[in-house]
Amino acid sequence: MEPRADGTLTTKEQYMSAVSELAAVLDQVVGLVDSVDEQEWSAPTPCEEWDVRAVVDHLLDVQQRFLATLTAQPVRTQPSFGENAQLLVSAFSEEGVLERLVPDRLGEITGLTLLKILMMEHLAHGWDLGQALAHPPAFDEEVVDRTIDFVQQMSPKVPPALRRFDDPQPVAPDAPAIDRLAARLGRRVSA
């Protein structure tokens, strides 16, 4: 996908790029989930009330709810984490999905906003899993930086009763982007 001569992308190229970035994030998280051995499922995570199994179950639930929202159909099967991630990428790749308004707990939002929320969930909980498994994922810094910007823009629009993450925590300004995102979403990041 080549940018125009002025370096900008067309809207269609921006949408394709967003879906590609989501696919890369999902691939990283799928790799983490696939690497979990039997003893690690009960390991604690920085998401204090959840162990590894609960974080993975939460992400699978989020994937299935978002897939049902995008397709306007209930998810009938219980695919594996990786299969569900592939179904999501396919659904987001459909023509017009990112422009379309879809129902959400925040009201009607675009499919692109839904994609960004899904990206944030997987980055944040991918960080949780990486910390629990002592195997941090290699998320793209620029993608994480854009997600931080998205979180900062969206946070004031989310009513307190609908907030799912804790208040931001301190973090070094030169910390890796994923640590800054984790801190922004209430995780305590070690120096």
Side-chain angles (χ1 to χ4, degrees), residues 61-72:
D61 179 61
V62 167
Q63 289 176 351
Q64 291 175 342
R65 283 188 293 116
F66 280 37
L67 187 58
T69 297
L70 283 177
T71 62

Side-chain angles (χ1 to χ4, degrees), residues 127 141 144-145 148 169 171-185 189:
W127 183 87
E141 290 275 314
V144 179
D145 278 331
I148 293 168
Q169 298 296 310
V171 64
D174 62 345
I178 192 61
D179 288 350
R180 288 185 282 115
L181 176 63
R184 178 71 178 88
L185 296 173
V189 176

Side-chain angles (χ1 to χ4, degrees), residues 134-145:
H135 183 68
F139 294 126
D140 182 290
E141 290 275 314
E142 290 179 16
V143 170
V144 179
D145 278 331

Side-chain angles (χ1 to χ4, degrees), residues 18-124:
V19 173
S20 294
E21 289 172 358
L22 175 66
V25 167
L26 290 173
D27 283 347
Q28 288 283 321
V29 178
V30 167
L32 279 172
V33 171
D34 288 348
S35 76
V36 177
D37 66 34
E38 197 56 42
Q39 302 88 318
E40 293 173 320
W41 285 107
S42 59
T45 70
C47 194
E48 294 174 1
E49 65 275 10
W50 290 343
D51 62 10
V52 168
R53 182 176 308 280
V55 169
V56 172
D57 287 347
H58 167 71
L59 284 174
L60 184 56
D61 179 61
V62 167
Q63 289 176 351
Q64 291 175 342
R65 283 188 293 116
F66 280 37
L67 187 58
T69 297
L70 283 177
T71 62
Q73 297 176 13
V75 177
R76 294 191 183 113
T77 61
Q78 294 292 334
S80 74
F81 193 89
E83 291 167 332
N84 213 56
Q86 289 174 347
L87 290 172
L88 271 168
V89 171
S90 293
F92 276 114
S93 298
E94 292 290 322
E95 187 73 32
V97 164
L98 297 180
E99 301 99 333
R100 188 175 75 220
L101 291 176
V102 295
D104 182 72
R105 63 188 178 95
L106 300 173
E108 283 198 328
I109 61 174
T110 65
L112 180 60
T113 300
L114 193 70
L115 178 147
K116 290 178 179 184
I117 292 169
L118 186 66
M119 179 103 67
M120 176 200 65
E121 285 277 344
H122 282 79
L123 288 168

